[in-house]
Amino acid sequence: MTGAGISVAAGIPDFRTPGTGLYDNLQKYNLPEPTAVFDIEFFRENPKPFFLLAKELYPGNFKPTKTHYFIRLLHEKGLLLRNFTQNIDTLERLAGVPGDALVEAHGSFSDAHCIDCQKEHSFEFVKEIVFSDKIARCTSCGGLVKPDIVFFGESLPNRFYDKLQEDFPVFVTSS
């Protein structure tokens, strides 16, 4: 299992480090609390802060680190059963780790759905809207569309639970 520490060298802040962590640097969004930017109920009421932050974090703004490429190497050598990652940045995918070798425990930017009707919307559709400083709306029902990042108040993806039972993961972490 990998976490935010492997993406810090790519320029992506972790969430909780005092002074440099993401939650310590969200004042410009005028949130009631830092975690609100990833809270599904807050998102329903005020999605703008998330979409502004998403523009900063969107895949394509960062490159994989040596650790991401090491995970790919493990896969290529047949030594990786699966990488359970807490990261939403898709850097494992960008490094060449195939989707079947990944479990994105907190989801990722790679897919997006309407939070009301569940219609799938493409990565490109959401990215274009995010970079146009707009809020993504469903093309079917007009509901809010968000990347499949797990917000507070949402369940982890079914794939996480399925693969957790199927695999016995080895955890690699840092603090």
Side-chain angles (χ1 to χ4, degrees):
M1 180 168 238
T2 54
I6 72 167
S7 295
V8 170
I12 300 172
D14 66 23
F15 284 77
R16 293 181 174 84
T17 299
T20 60
L22 185 68
Y23 290 150
D24 235 15
N25 291 286
L26 297 176
Q27 296 82 3
K28 64 185 172 187
Y29 301 115
N30 199 25
L31 300 166
E33 58 190 9
T35 56
V37 74
F38 294 114
D39 183 282
I40 192 63
E41 294 309 318
F42 183 81
F43 178 79
R44 287 180 187 278
E45 295 171 22
N46 185 5
K48 188 172 182 175
F50 170 76
F51 282 103
L52 291 171
L53 177 62
K55 188 174 180 179
E56 294 178 36
L57 299 176
Y58 228 82
N61 291 338
F62 303 96
K63 296 184 181 193
T65 67
K66 291 177 183 177
T67 305
H68 294 99
Y69 288 112
F70 177 70
I71 295 165
R72 183 187 76 191
L73 179 64
L74 290 174
H75 170 74
E76 290 171 349
K77 299 280 186 185
L79 299 172
L80 179 71
L81 174 61
R82 209 157 337 269
N83 176 212
F84 283 70
T85 181
Q86 296 176 323
N87 296 333
I88 61 173
D89 55 37
T90 71
L91 291 181
E92 294 88 358
R93 290 174 184 262
L94 192 57
V97 179
D100 63 338
L102 285 173
V103 174
E104 294 162 319
H106 293 160
S108 76
F109 280 95
S110 63
D111 298 306
H113 287 82
C114 173
I115 64 171
D116 292 329
C117 75
Q118 303 305 311
K119 179 179 179 181
E120 185 172 358
H121 291 75
S122 72
F123 172 86
E124 293 79 16
F125 171 83
V126 177
K127 183 177 181 180
E128 182 178 324
I129 291 171
V130 166
F131 281 88
S132 298
D133 295 322
K134 297 178 183 170
I135 293 172
R137 293 278 179 183
C138 181
T139 57
S140 291
C141 76
L144 293 166
V145 173
K146 74 170 191 63
D148 289 348
I149 296 166
V150 178
F151 278 21
F152 294 107
E154 295 183 304
S155 296
L156 297 178
N158 289 335
R159 179 171 167 76
F160 173 79
Y161 296 107
D162 294 343
K163 296 303 177 186
L164 189 62
Q165 289 180 359
E166 185 179 318
D167 304 342
F168 184 77
V170 175
F171 294 92
V172 179
T173 185
S174 65
S175 58

